[in-house]
Amino acid sequence: MTITKENYINSVGFQCLEHLQNNSVDLYLSTCGVQNCPPNHSFGPGEREEYIIHFICEGKGIYEVNGQTFTLSKGDFFVLFPHTKIYYEADENYPWDYLWIGFNGIKADSYLKHAGIDETHLTGHYTNTSFILTCIQQMMLARTLTHFNECRRQASLLQILAALMEAHYQTLCTSEQKDYPHRVYLSQATDYIQTHYKEAIKINDIASYIGIDRSYLTNIFKNSLGLSPQDYLLQFRLNRACELLQNTDEKISYIALDVGYPDAMAFSKIFRKYKGMSPSEFRTANP
């Protein structure tokens, strides 16, 4: 076994990168590794200083935490929270091989929660261990202690956490697949409309931009504003047209185009329907 000054261990059946320096307080990698465990290989009872996720590639074993014992095997993962007493042991006849990442930072707990992991949900299932292995190999290739390699290790860590979040997201029902409060989605949607109202935008464009489905977006608008996204877009365009009719001498055809209506006749028809008069009559009545 050889330990280099970069804190890299590489021996038969065991590779590990540990005790990493970092310049981030938000989220940082502290250790990662690959191990083919011998029979009954164990840790604990004990605690760790950081969050650690073990991904089981082959074999099986047990994980004990918070008075519970979990029997885990290929495709499962288990999570260690800092300063939580745990014990885990590889099976005697079919010991597990696993990958692991250790990390910490003030955002670590939040990232895990988005992946469905908290102190009462410390095990899960993620079968794409080849992806995790690729990320860990990239971490190990970036093992020298430089700022650019720290960024590379951080990127690989975020890729793993994003994959876990996505896998958890796909297990949720549609109503639960929302990361933010309604007001955030509403703000994003109205900002999009106010920026793109001159274009031939569709409600599906807005929903796709935000990352939610059209029906959910429509419900948010109706519950918050009492009108649909389409009605909000129409109202915004007409209000903007009224401002231009009052404050400029632009031709009505130019104003129509400026608020998203290439067809001036169609614009005039819609304007009359909702304002009770034609654009030219509105201009005359509101000098």
Side-chain angles (χ1 to χ4, degrees), residues 186-225:
L186 180 65
S187 176
Q188 289 284 316
T190 54
D191 285 349
Y192 185 92
I193 288 171
Q194 292 169 24
T195 302
H196 298 275
Y197 70 94
K198 297 182 181 183
E199 304 168 17
I201 57 174
K202 299 178 181 178
I203 305 308
N204 283 338
D205 298 331
I206 304 170
S208 177
Y209 169 77
I210 299 171
I212 59 178
D213 59 72
R214 176 177 177 148
S215 62
Y216 185 67
L217 177 65
T218 299
N219 287 337
I220 290 174
F221 267 81
K222 288 185 175 179
N223 291 335
S224 302
L225 303 178

Side-chain angles (χ1 to χ4, degrees), residues 238 241-243 245-246 271 275 277-287:
L238 293 180
C242 289
E243 291 175 10
L245 288 166
Q246 285 182 272
F271 192 95
K275 296 298 182 180
M277 62 184 78
S278 70
S280 57
E281 289 170 341
F282 179 89
R283 174 173 270 169
T284 301
N286 295 275

Side-chain angles (χ1 to χ4, degrees), residues 11 18 86 100 141 200 211 231 250 264 268 278:
S11 64
E18 60 184 359
I86 53 88
W100 79 86
L141 287 172
D231 288 338
E250 291 285 355
S268 295
S278 70

